[in-house]
Amino acid sequence: MTKRILIVLTSHDDLAGRRKTGFYVSEAAHPWEVFRKAGHEVELASVEGGVAPQDGYDPDDPAQREFVAAFDLEHTTALADVDPSRYDAVLYAGGHGAMWDFPASPDVARPGRDVYEAGGVVAAVCHGPAALVDLTLSDGSYLVDGKRVAGFTNAEEQAVGLTDVVPFLLADKLTERGATHVPGPEWQPQVVVDGRLATGQNPQSATALAQEIVKLLS
């Protein structure tokens, strides 16, 4: 049975003045490829709408080439204009930009909360779990409280030299919200599924995460 999945992208393109950033293309493209092959519909939205800034694009990766050709990344839908009731799952793609505009945004939290409370799947990969940092359910509790999660690790942030650049360390902030952060080896696939919450650690986890989402939707 065909399901509809929303992939959420950051609109933030500035890495604290160091360089340009945005959403990490493979973290949307590889799940899209899995979802499409499973027969599901995929739609995109970004925090502010309009241009979804790209980071890490690899033109030698067929999935990434097909993804950027399939979607109009210059004119994405704004999350404020999205109706969460249309979706069976929401995936928050990563990229360092997400660390700035995913937390504390009601537009970012709304589809996750609504889809989850309707019995759907919420997922996030790499820095995408920044969307979960301030995502509360209708009863005021954090979605991640008491859940096992994956996300970009402190060691990986240190390895890319951005520990002192990002506004917070993702693993630490998830732990502060009551989650149990489950790190895997650096740059290796690590996916954690806890009920209808599925999370991946890094870009290398995107395909495996999407495969778990497909399982949950079936």
Side-chain angles (χ1 to χ4, degrees), residues 121-154:
V121 175
V122 171
V125 61
C126 197
H127 289 92
L132 307 176
V133 164
D134 290 320
L135 199 167
T136 55
L137 301 175
S138 295
D139 64 4
S141 65
Y142 289 108
L143 172 60
V144 298
D145 189 13
K147 301 281 201 311
R148 298 170 69 254
V149 300
F152 206 63
T153 67
N154 292 353

Side-chain angles (χ1 to χ4, degrees), residues 57-130:
Y57 175 63
D58 179 5
D60 294 327
D61 178 357
Q64 294 188 46
R65 286 202 312 270
E66 292 175 19
F67 175 82
V68 299
F71 294 97
D72 184 358
L73 296 172
E74 299 293 309
H75 303 90
T76 59
T77 300
L79 278 175
D81 297 327
V82 164
D83 175 6
S85 69
R86 299 180 63 247
Y87 302 100
D88 302 286
V90 56
L91 168 62
Y92 294 101
H96 273 93
M99 293 289 283
W100 275 267
D101 65 356
F102 273 14
S105 167
D107 291 330
V108 171
R110 183 172 55 93
R113 179 178 56 251
D114 289 4
V115 167
Y116 191 80
E117 292 187 337
V121 175
V122 171
V125 61
C126 197
H127 289 92

